[in-house]
Structures are given as C-alpha cells and as structure tokens.
Amino acid sequence: MQINFAKMSGAGNDFIVIDTMQQPVNLTEPQILSLCTRRTGIGADGLILVESSETLDFSMRYYNADGKPGSMCGNGGRCAAYFAYTTGISGKTASFQANGDHYNAWITDIECVKLKMTVPDDFRSNFYANGFSCHFVNTGSPHTIIYTEELDTFNVENAGSAIRNNSTLFPEGTNVNFLEVTGPDTLSVRTFERGVEAETLACGTGAVAAALMSYKLEKVSSTSIRVTVRSGDTLHVDFSDDMKEVFLSGPAKVVYTGTVNV
C-alpha cells in the first residue's frame, strides 16, 4: 500500500499527517510504530489521520509514536488545522472533532495557528510521586507538573520515565512536565511524553497545563503566558481568569511531503 503523507512540525513536535479523504488508509499498530520510528521509518512523535466529518470541516484521529491511539495532542491539533488549510479542506477558520470533543482553530499568520482547547479538569496539587513534589491537571491529556530551578541540567528522561510509569498514582500513565518560572508571564518547560516514552521538543497540552497550573498556584500573574519549549520555540497560552476559555497558539508548518510504502 502506497500512502501520501505530510511531515509536519508544531514547535518541534513532529507528526506524520495523512488525508484519508483522498485515500482510504487502514494502519495497524505495528505499522504506525514502524512509520514513527526514527532512522528506520519516517520518524515522528505521532501520526494524525485527517478524516471526513458529517458536521465539521474534518475529524482528527491521533496515534502516539508507539502505535496506540492517543489522547488530545495540542500541537497535533494545530498542525492538523494548518494541513487542512493548505490542502483546501478548510479555510483560515477550522472546526474539527477529536476524541469526541469539538475544537476550533484559526490560521493567524503564515505557519501560525491558534487552537481553542477544552476546559481543563482534575486539578490536583501538592502530592508526591517518586520523591518529587507534584501537581496534576488534565488539559485533554493527563499532565503531571514538577517545578525546578535547574531545568537545563535536569534529568528529564530518568525522572519522567519513573513518574510516567508509576501505576499506583497513574494507572493509565501520565505525561510529565518539568517547569522553570522565568518571569511573571514566562515559563520554560521540558516534557516527557507518554506514548513517545521520551522527552519531546514540545508538547502543546503540556504547555497549557504548565501555564494554567502556574497561574492557579500564583507562580505567574498573567493570563497570557509565553512558554519556551525544548526546541527553543515559544508557545502562547491565553485563558480567562476562570479557565473556561483556553487558547494555544504557536508555529505549525509542513516540513515536507512524500509517499511511503506500507
């Protein structure tokens, strides 16, 4: 089976994006894992299927790099919206469905997308996991948050893996974000992602979780937060004081297009 695809990057989070409206695609878990594996496959943090929708512009189906269905991916959603815009599926404003939720996105500039997120829930603060003081919030995906003043040298892989696999606290796993507060409206974040099982260069739902939790804990004072991710890019998280309206903005671009035999 030959598949047309786009390789996309959302602030360093990279994805394989496939338009199933133009070509029927039925991939198995091992095939998705193979495609996402770096060096031997295309290589990506995840795979996105852009599918038809009866009521919205499209539907987004997301798979983690391990081949398993994933929860919401904020940068993936922004990339899917930009892909839909560049291929004519939608205009500069897009409405799509992902994991049963309705999302709106706007192309705000060249290779820049703003996405309205779902209302966050399950806020938890000040608990311990694997020796670390932690906080937790679900922003469409589960996120554990740990603050540090030594982010650049922090061993994200070891600590992140241990907490992600703490089945007592997180039976379904968790993403783990390590944060450094750098100003009243700025954060730096490194994320160990569930499903990738490694640190990624960016995480959209993680940036949102970092901004919301930092505001809730009064570590930042603004409802417009700039979040610097591992790639060096900046994601913008804007939200209402009650956190009922939350938006994620940042870069999204097509790196290249191609075909692959599966």
Side-chain angles (χ1 to χ4, degrees):
M1 176 173 57
Q2 189 174 72
I3 299 174
N4 298 318
F5 71 92
K7 176 69 178 289
M8 299 194 68
S9 172
N13 240 169
D14 60 341
F15 309 99
I16 300 165
V17 184
I18 299 170
D19 180 1
T20 68
M21 290 182 263
Q22 298 297 320
Q23 52 185 339
V25 173
N26 184 21
L27 295 171
T28 65
E29 182 178 314
Q31 287 173 330
I32 295 171
L33 170 62
S34 177
L35 288 172
C36 290
T37 300
R38 303 188 188 279
R39 296 186 177 88
T40 58
I42 298 168
D45 293 330
L47 182 142
I48 296 168
L49 299 181
V50 175
E51 303 176 329
S52 62
S53 170
E54 293 184 0
T55 57
L56 303 176
D57 293 315
F58 64 91
S59 178
M60 166 182 152
R61 189 183 302 272
Y62 182 71
Y63 293 89
N64 288 318
D66 60 7
K68 296 179 173 60
S71 48
M72 181 54 184
C73 177
N75 287 329
R78 294 189 312 97
C79 283
Y82 194 72
F83 175 86
Y85 169 65
T86 60
T87 55
I89 294 172
S90 63
K92 287 192 172 183
T93 299
S95 296
F96 65 95
Q97 182 271 340
N99 292 334
D101 292 315
H102 181 166
Y103 291 87
N104 292 318
W106 299 264
I107 311 301
T108 57
D109 204 341
I110 298 172
E111 298 182 339
C112 189
V113 181
K114 179 179 181 179
L115 176 68
K116 184 175 183 182
M117 307 297 291
T118 54
V119 178
D121 61 14
D122 197 16
F123 282 94
R124 285 178 263 163
S125 295
N126 300 314
F127 63 92
Y128 280 86
N130 300 82
F132 293 96
S133 176
C134 299
H135 313 275
F136 181 91
V137 60
N138 190 308
T139 56
S141 289
H143 283 279
T144 296
I145 292 167
I146 296 167
Y147 290 93
T148 177
E149 295 181 354
E150 301 176 339
L151 186 63
D152 286 343
T153 58
F154 198 91
N155 194 329
V156 168
E157 293 284 344
N158 285 358
S161 178
I163 295 168
R164 177 263 183 271
N165 290 295
N166 186 325
S167 58
T168 301
L169 289 173
F170 310 108
E172 297 182 359
T174 179
N175 301 287
V176 189
N177 304 272
F178 301 89
L179 278 64
E180 186 169 347
V181 179
T182 54
D185 62 352
T186 57
L187 301 169
S188 289
V189 180
R190 295 175 63 185
T191 302
F192 185 95
E193 281 204 52
R194 177 184 68 165
V196 180
E197 307 309 328
E199 181 180 7
T200 55
L201 294 182
C203 178
T205 53
V208 171
L212 298 182
M213 183 58 73
S214 295
Y215 184 75
K216 195 173 185 68
L217 296 175
E218 299 183 344
K219 293 181 179 292
V220 295
S221 56
S222 175
T223 56
S224 181
I225 307 296
R226 290 171 291 144
V227 182
T228 300
V229 294
R230 192 61 170 167
S231 66
D233 288 315
T234 298
L235 292 168
H236 296 263
V237 182
D238 299 283
F239 50 95
S240 59
D241 192 65
D242 62 3
M243 300 184 182
K244 301 296 185 184
E245 300 276 318
V246 181
F247 300 89
L248 172 68
S249 303
K253 65 179 180 179
V254 178
V255 179
Y256 61 87
T257 60
T259 59
V260 63
N261 290 316
V262 177

